[in-house]
Amino acid sequence: METTAPKIRGISPDETLEACARQIIVNYFHQMMSYKDGAKAGNDIEFVHEMRVTSRRLRTAMDNFLDCFPEKAFNKHYKKVKSITRTLGAVRDLDVLIARFEKELDTLSEAEQADLRRLIEHLQREREDTRKPMLKLFAKLEAAGFETEFLKFFSR
């Protein structure tokens, strides 16, 4: 999975700050959402990682351009992006921990490996439990038309 920063078209000194802000925010939003299906599938931990990283970049861009938008409508979208970041973070923390322990297995005695495998299995079950709120949030946002509403607001 390649994680290069996207090229953002339509950004120039001839454009208004608001127009540039909209382009930047929409670009990060599309990038963030491009990882959603992989994050939902749960087979590759990098999708959760990349979606979370991009959601944080999106929030930073939104923070930087807050003054370009009506506060009430903006805050509604910002809070949803923040909730995405938070739920992804809980899953990501467990992904990192599991991966770290899996790398340590070969350096341990057989008895220690057995203990660590039990811990990893426990953490994997915990990860599945932690994914449930993430999946529930995605379903809730999809049902509410979050993606369409977000893009409608920022793509004017």
Side-chain angles (χ1 to χ4, degrees), residues 49-136:
H49 172 64
E50 292 301 328
M51 188 171 188
R52 181 171 177 253
V53 166
T54 308
S55 73
R56 293 173 70 190
R57 290 178 182 152
L58 172 59
R59 282 182 32 220
T60 298
M62 292 174 80
D63 286 336
N64 289 335
F65 299 119
L66 170 66
D67 292 337
C68 295
F69 303 98
E71 187 175 347
K72 185 177 180 184
F74 180 91
N75 285 340
K76 177 180 82 168
H77 297 297
Y78 184 86
K79 287 177 184 176
K80 289 178 182 176
V81 173
K82 189 174 182 176
S83 67
I84 290 169
T85 306
R86 186 175 42 254
T87 59
L88 291 168
V91 176
R92 178 64 183 162
D93 289 346
L94 288 166
D95 287 342
V96 169
L97 195 56
I98 291 167
R100 179 169 183 259
F101 287 150
E102 286 175 338
K103 285 181 182 177
E104 296 292 322
L105 279 171
D106 292 339
T107 66
L108 302 174
S109 68
E110 286 184 36
E112 292 169 326
Q113 284 182 18
D115 290 340
L116 190 54
R117 280 193 178 91
R118 281 192 294 279
L119 176 59
I120 291 169
E121 288 171 7
H122 170 77
L123 292 172
Q124 287 170 332
R125 286 190 302 274
E126 191 175 325
R127 179 186 185 270
E128 286 308 308
D129 289 343
T130 304
R131 283 177 39 79
K132 289 175 187 173
M134 179 192 77
L135 296 172
K136 187 175 181 178

Side-chain angles (χ1 to χ4, degrees), residues 5 17 22-23 27 31 40 46 48 57 60-61 69 78 89 92-93 95-96 108-109 123 131 138 140 148 152 154-155:
L17 178 61
R22 288 180 185 283
Q23 287 286 8
N27 187 281
Q31 185 182 9
K40 286 170 60 174
E46 289 306 310
V48 168
R57 290 178 182 152
T60 298
F69 303 98
Y78 184 86
R92 178 64 183 162
D93 289 346
D95 287 342
V96 169
L108 302 174
S109 68
L123 292 172
R131 283 177 39 79
F138 287 162
K140 181 181 172 184
T148 302
K152 183 177 173 183
F154 287 103
S155 296

